[in-house]
Amino acid sequence: MEDLIRASLDHCIKCTICETVCPVAQVTPLFPGPKYEGPQAERFRLPSGSADASVDYCSGCGLCTQVCPQGVKIAEINSRARAHFKAQKGVSVRDRILARPGLTGRLGTPVAPLANRVMANGTARRLMEKAVGVHHAAPVPVYAGHSFQRWARHHERHASPRLDGRSVVYFHGCSVNWFEPDLGRMVVAVLEHNGVEVKMPRQDCCGLPLQSNGLFDAARRALGRLARDLSAGSAGHAVVASSTSCGVMLKREGREILGLDDDETLRAVGARTFDVCEYLLDLHGQGLLDTGFRPLPLTVIYHAACQQRGHSMGTPALELLRLVPELEVIRSEADCCGMAGTYGLKKEKYDIGMAVGERLFEQVRRVGPDAVACDGETCRWQITKATGRASVHPVELLFRAYGLEL
Amino acid sequence: MSGEGEIVVIGVGLAGLVAALRLAEGGRRVRVLAKGVGSTHLSGATVDVLGYAPFRVRSPAATLPEFAVANPHHPYALMGTAVVDDAVTWLKGRLSNPRYVGDLRRNFLLPTALGVAKPTAVAPQTMAVGDLTHGGCFVIVGLPGLKDFYPALVAGNLGSTVGIAGEAIEARAVDVDLTLDGRVDVGPLAYARRLDDPAFRAQLAARLHGRLGADDMVGLPAVLGLTDAEQAWEELEARLERPVFEIPTLPPSVPGVRLYGALSGALHRLGVSVTIGGEVLGAETHGGRVTGVHTETANGVRFHAAAGVVLATGGWAAGGLEMDSHWVVREPVLGLPVTGIPGGGRRFLPGYFDHHPLASTGVAVEGSLRPVDGDGRVVFTNVRVAGATLAGAEPWKEKSGDGLSLSTGYHAAMSMLAEED
Amino acid sequence: MESIETEVLVVGGGATGLGVARDAAMRGFATVLVERKDLAEGTTGRYHGLLHSGGRYAVKDPRAARECAAENAILRRVAADSIEDTGGLFVTTPWDDVTFGDRFLAGCADTGVGVEEIDVADALRREPAVNAGIRRAFLVADASMDAWKLVWACARSAEQHGARILTYRRVVEVLRAADTVAGVVVVDSRSDEEMTIHARMTVNATGAWAGQLAALAGCRPVEVVPGKGIMIAMNHRIVNTVVNRCTMPSDGDIIVPIRTVSVVGTTDSPVADPDQLEVTQAEVDHMLDEGEKLVPGFRHARALRVWAGARPLFGARPPGDDDTRDITRAHALIDHAERDGIGGFVTITGGKATTFRLMAEETVDLVCRALDAGGPRPCRTAVEALPDSEPGAYYSVGSRLARREAHLLDDQLVCECELVSRQTLEEAVERRPTANLDDVRRALRLGMGPCQGGFCTYRATGIFHRLERLDQVTANTALLDFLQERWKGVHPILYGDQLRQARLDDWIYQGLMDVEHLPAVAAAAIGSVA
């Protein structure tokens, strides 16, 4: 009768389970919690939306929806309310910039050394905090100076990996393209090492940062375009994503939160999208994964990012890493690192984000691992910035355990 | 990944956690799938085995045999009551922070948030100290801003209660002036997290200094630390030089979150995959067996092959049993037969405390907890049902909730392990 | 025994009684009102919350339609604070005669009910949940009205004009001096103390109970038929506009969005005793089926609570006709001096919440004549707004959320579903020192949301107890009463989500707190329930 997200509030029996996991409510009374903002406040909202400002403190991590035993789409209700709030209050210049990693990536990459110097400069960062509200101490990504796409074009023309007939489309996302192209290359190498052909069509942002900053219309356009780009190049092949947040956007979040359920292309692409670790573990399930890993005598903490949990796929990264000899993997005791996409970058939320992440940071400091493995890029930046420890995508560990080189 | 020989446990309430852990300990490959976090977070985390039958039970061990005879369809009767003892012993061996104490020989009488003396067999030692069995002097401490615990209400009712031999109970309430940074709206977990900090515990002890009588036992809402309750409790006892105990609050339950942490942590250490937010939508069956289950994931429905299934999805509150607006009752995951559905449309009576016809409706099982149909025939040979989904019990009335979940979860695992051997 | 004197005594603390008391007090009469329970605890507090545009009666009952249209406009001026301007739709569903719409338009034109036929597509855009198969749609000035708020505002105003409002006073005797009613004897149901109230004029504003009071006064029978109507509150606002079936009035033909819920109503069947209103499963099923016609998927939505009210329907029942809907919804004012030769006594009954002010006006006009008030005392209730109410300043569903947002950091949320804070609760207690937990619950809608008191029952008991307003025994009893009161409203609709909720609440109160074994007196209370 009405949309399923709003109607799901009927399932809430106030059990408080979502409140036990909300990382933000744990550290600040400014956010009264997912139950309050979600199924409770929603009963007081008209379709035109409400101006309850506290919902803006939701980081959008999605843990509440995942743990809800009653099926209430808590995070999704909050996400929409946040969009309404922003629509009423107006979206700041800062949020408009953070919402467009593709644009900043394109602008920053040609001038990477300069851009990176500016970003590492304390005075410049304080000016930037004043001007646009990005906290001076927040971890901002480092421009690689060359895009992954450029490498991909070259790789497609020149490389000739040994393949066994399976093909995937790689949805690398903005961060690999502009900031971590080497991770993209490792993903391709690990897949090709297992005989999988990797197609890398041109692609742009999935719209997640737009969505989480309340710019729903722009997010819809971005996600629709991405689905068509990936679909055109994929011929029905599986789509593999190395960013868990962007992957889950493509799989489910976009359709649900942005109300794009009628977009057949998006639905079809989403249904054959896999997180890279999920895909590799499936290969293993079929006996197709090369498990001839070399020993990797390292200790790592594996942190399942909140968006990783949004996939409802278990922890395939953990299961893969356990296949690597001598690699000691310790599970993170924390639910969230505090970054939650672009949340922890914002001036007024930086302290909250750091407080959220403290449990993880404390564990990292206590254990002193060789690295922290985490599937989410902004989480990795946050962890490294906060603890000084290296952070890697789990695929990088597999890459090294295969003895591969870039 | 799904493979042959994997047991799928559906649900992460106490029954599911126990079944999964016992199976994993027994060497089985286990995958846990749950729609969400389970009812541990809502439970006081005491193991209430049998509190009323219908009169107050002193000794579950002594009462269970006759209880089983009087209630032949109760899960305790079907499994045999010896299982309960084994399960309790097993659980106690797995919990260390806090440790669990007590056994089936006699129930503690532990104060509830209303100040009622509730019979319970096994409890965290942070609570068991508050045993009212032999009376005593109690001070109930309130924390400012905590809206889920009212010390004066507890103390008032305790004062109208006596020990089992008529021993007097004296109780009074004190409020300590120790806010969480001045916050006026605080849940139990917020205090628990803060009390993980020794400095905050010291402040709490200091605020109570000089306000306690020589013989007082000090009751606090169950918020004495989340990650290291044992340490918090011992330290507070030492600082106050008096017995200290916790009383469960309104949900969320700090002791429940601790219990969940202990058991799920043990599962992780054994490498068991636990997926929260992976609702099981249905099953594939063949030849009287479940061959696998379908789960909801972000990119659609996914199949997990299963050699066996433990269904521990809970009762009505958790959605393990459902009734729709046409008054049709079903078990939604495996579509198991549901028994005890009252006829004539009379499901509930007008008095809240009446004996409601729908109360003990659920999935009927045989002695090894395999589901049976109306004729007593096993429906799926490789399925076990545990916890509040089961027919024949009224856990909240009997005060048998966590005892039932524990023992059926344990027995489900044991009978599966026995079969494989 | 205490004895007081007054000019006008009003019996009955519903909308009508409060309307009369306020009007009489505003016209300078010494006024006392007695109510056997709390204000608005009878029919007023048990209706669906509709402020009629008059459309509902435009074809069937032109007098009622005219009155509703006029009063709707007046109340929007003087009682805006108690009204949410939702607007109303009449829609022709696939089950309805499409030509009825023409009669509807004609009836509205004849009776002065504002109406505009709009495109079906526009109606569906406005209310997407409504059955997409509707064939016609009409926009009217229906609104929803918070009856508690209204009644309390009237009470405050009456008190400001010198009236005394006495709740929990049950009339046990009507005093007669020869052929005149001279007042009543009431018993305070809390202290069991009697009080005599002498009055020059006694107004019987007891609605569906009017026959009982008239009989006590020794009048000829007053033919009031209590018409039972059941209503189900759904958990959230499925629609934000009042949605009516465009057809002759029938069962389950309206959904009213009021506060955080939507109420589907209603049925109409005569009962002997307005205090015995059992809700049957057949009635619940009937409401759900009818709701499904207006809003497909209705049966999947969560029902929160069901209740029944007793409409006061005045006039002889047609023989063999069980449908009380054929009795006019207009009100009846009986001057017993004229009818029965008994002076000092008038009965005002029938009518509906929408016309309460008009009923009061006519009643007090009669009182003026009867008491020979010495010159005209004009009624001012059509122009003088209720306290805190400004014309056009309607409340909105979001107002509580906005208030809560303003006090996130300095006030505690006690009832999370209905956003009742600790300060609000404590202030309510302070304002009405005699109020019990149940009164406060109703006044604040504490415990009326999805969890039906699952969490706040314990909290409110603890807070009341802490304020030392309740001793231990009373606290225990209040808690048990609260649980029983909640159960009364939910047990007939326990399916789906609300069944889950009820079981969680059982778990909390019985499994976790062992409420059944509260000491001593409480046990007796449990016994009386069972």
PDB file of all heavy atoms in Angstrom, chain C residues 19 34 55 69 189-190 273 279-280 351 361 371 449:
ATOM      1  N   GLY C  19     -18.902  21.895  27.552  1.00  0.00           N
ATOM      2  CA  GLY C  19     -19.380  23.011  26.727  1.00  0.00           C
ATOM      3  C   GLY C  19     -20.436  23.801  27.479  1.00  0.00           C
ATOM      4  O   GLY C  19     -20.412  25.037  27.513  1.00  0.00           O
ATOM      5  N   VAL C  34     -20.155  17.985  37.636  1.00  0.00           N
ATOM      6  CA  VAL C  34     -19.707  16.729  38.249  1.00  0.00           C
ATOM      7  C   VAL C  34     -19.591  15.644  37.180  1.00  0.00           C
ATOM      8  O   VAL C  34     -20.363  15.592  36.227  1.00  0.00           O
ATOM      9  CB  VAL C  34     -20.665  16.243  39.370  1.00  0.00           C
ATOM     10  CG1 VAL C  34     -20.626  17.194  40.554  1.00  0.00           C
ATOM     11  CG2 VAL C  34     -22.080  16.063  38.866  1.00  0.00           C
ATOM     12  N   GLY C  55     -20.200  16.581   5.459  1.00  0.00           N
ATOM     13  CA  GLY C  55     -20.364  15.742   4.258  1.00  0.00           C
ATOM     14  C   GLY C  55     -20.978  14.389   4.568  1.00  0.00           C
ATOM     15  O   GLY C  55     -21.815  13.875   3.817  1.00  0.00           O
ATOM     16  N   ALA C  69     -21.560  21.744   9.393  1.00  0.00           N
ATOM     17  CA  ALA C  69     -20.848  22.694   8.543  1.00  0.00           C
ATOM     18  C   ALA C  69     -20.625  24.001   9.299  1.00  0.00           C
ATOM     19  O   ALA C  69     -19.528  24.580   9.289  1.00  0.00           O
ATOM     20  CB  ALA C  69     -21.622  22.935   7.250  1.00  0.00           C
ATOM     21  N   SER C 189     -15.723   8.858  44.439  1.00  0.00           N
ATOM     22  CA  SER C 189     -15.387   7.435  44.304  1.00  0.00           C
ATOM     23  C   SER C 189     -13.998   7.124  44.840  1.00  0.00           C
ATOM     24  O   SER C 189     -13.607   5.970  44.925  1.00  0.00           O
ATOM     25  CB  SER C 189     -15.522   7.001  42.848  1.00  0.00           C
ATOM     26  OG  SER C 189     -14.662   7.765  42.056  1.00  0.00           O
ATOM     27  N   ARG C 190     -13.229   8.129  45.208  1.00  0.00           N
ATOM     28  CA  ARG C 190     -11.906   7.853  45.782  1.00  0.00           C
ATOM     29  C   ARG C 190     -11.975   7.811  47.302  1.00  0.00           C
ATOM     30  O   ARG C 190     -11.309   6.995  47.923  1.00  0.00           O
ATOM     31  CB  ARG C 190     -10.914   8.915  45.339  1.00  0.00           C
ATOM     32  CG  ARG C 190     -10.701   8.848  43.851  1.00  0.00           C
ATOM     33  CD  ARG C 190      -9.910  10.016  43.377  1.00  0.00           C
ATOM     34  NE  ARG C 190      -9.621   9.836  41.966  1.00  0.00           N
ATOM     35  CZ  ARG C 190      -8.834  10.616  41.259  1.00  0.00           C
ATOM     36  NH1 ARG C 190      -8.246  11.639  41.832  1.00  0.00           N
ATOM     37  NH2 ARG C 190      -8.621  10.380  39.985  1.00  0.00           N
ATOM     38  N   ASP C 273     -26.665  -1.406  27.755  1.00  0.00           N
ATOM     39  CA  ASP C 273     -25.937  -0.721  28.806  1.00  0.00           C
ATOM     40  C   ASP C 273     -24.677  -0.086  28.220  1.00  0.00           C
ATOM     41  O   ASP C 273     -23.788  -0.789  27.737  1.00  0.00           O
ATOM     42  CB  ASP C 273     -25.566  -1.756  29.893  1.00  0.00           C
ATOM     43  CG  ASP C 273     -24.818  -1.118  31.051  1.00  0.00           C
ATOM     44  OD1 ASP C 273     -24.444   0.078  30.955  1.00  0.00           O
ATOM     45  OD2 ASP C 273     -24.593  -1.826  32.056  1.00  0.00           O
ATOM     46  N   VAL C 279     -15.984  -5.827  22.555  1.00  0.00           N
ATOM     47  CA  VAL C 279     -15.574  -5.845  21.154  1.00  0.00           C
ATOM     48  C   VAL C 279     -15.469  -7.294  20.712  1.00  0.00           C
ATOM     49  O   VAL C 279     -14.763  -8.085  21.339  1.00  0.00           O
ATOM     50  CB  VAL C 279     -14.213  -5.146  20.975  1.00  0.00           C
ATOM     51  CG1 VAL C 279     -13.734  -5.280  19.546  1.00  0.00           C
ATOM     52  CG2 VAL C 279     -14.320  -3.680  21.370  1.00  0.00           C
ATOM     53  N   THR C 280     -16.178  -7.642  19.649  1.00  0.00           N
ATOM     54  CA  THR C 280     -16.133  -9.030  19.204  1.00  0.00           C
ATOM     55  C   THR C 280     -15.157  -9.186  18.044  1.00  0.00           C
ATOM     56  O   THR C 280     -14.830  -8.216  17.356  1.00  0.00           O
ATOM     57  CB  THR C 280     -17.517  -9.508  18.727  1.00  0.00           C
ATOM     58  OG1 THR C 280     -17.852  -8.786  17.534  1.00  0.00           O
ATOM     59  CG2 THR C 280     -18.584  -9.270  19.787  1.00  0.00           C
ATOM     60  N   GLY C 351     -26.695  14.226  19.284  1.00  0.00           N
ATOM     61  CA  GLY C 351     -25.641  15.066  18.746  1.00  0.00           C
ATOM     62  C   GLY C 351     -24.314  14.353  18.600  1.00  0.00           C
ATOM     63  O   GLY C 351     -24.244  13.125  18.626  1.00  0.00           O
ATOM     64  N   GLU C 361     -24.794  25.893  23.667  1.00  0.00           N
ATOM     65  CA  GLU C 361     -25.413  27.212  23.493  1.00  0.00           C
ATOM     66  C   GLU C 361     -26.938  27.124  23.661  1.00  0.00           C
ATOM     67  O   GLU C 361     -27.546  27.899  24.402  1.00  0.00           O
ATOM     68  CB  GLU C 361     -25.068  27.781  22.110  1.00  0.00           C
ATOM     69  CG  GLU C 361     -25.753  29.122  21.841  1.00  0.00           C
ATOM     70  CD  GLU C 361     -25.352  29.741  20.501  1.00  0.00           C
ATOM     71  OE1 GLU C 361     -24.339  29.300  19.910  1.00  0.00           O
ATOM     72  OE2 GLU C 361     -26.047  30.669  20.055  1.00  0.00           O
ATOM     73  N   LEU C 371     -34.337  30.258  34.238  1.00  0.00           N
ATOM     74  CA  LEU C 371     -33.951  30.914  35.485  1.00  0.00           C
ATOM     75  C   LEU C 371     -34.329  32.392  35.466  1.00  0.00           C
ATOM     76  O   LEU C 371     -34.016  33.121  36.402  1.00  0.00           O
ATOM     77  CB  LEU C 371     -32.446  30.756  35.730  1.00  0.00           C
ATOM     78  CG  LEU C 371     -31.950  29.323  35.965  1.00  0.00           C
ATOM     79  CD1 LEU C 371     -30.472  29.332  36.299  1.00  0.00           C
ATOM     80  CD2 LEU C 371     -32.739  28.647  37.087  1.00  0.00           C
ATOM     81  N   GLY C 449       1.071   4.597  22.549  1.00  0.00           N
ATOM     82  CA  GLY C 449       1.722   4.355  21.268  1.00  0.00           C
ATOM     83  C   GLY C 449       1.916   2.878  21.010  1.00  0.00           C
ATOM     84  O   GLY C 449       1.278   2.040  21.645  1.00  0.00           O
TER      85      GLY C 449
END
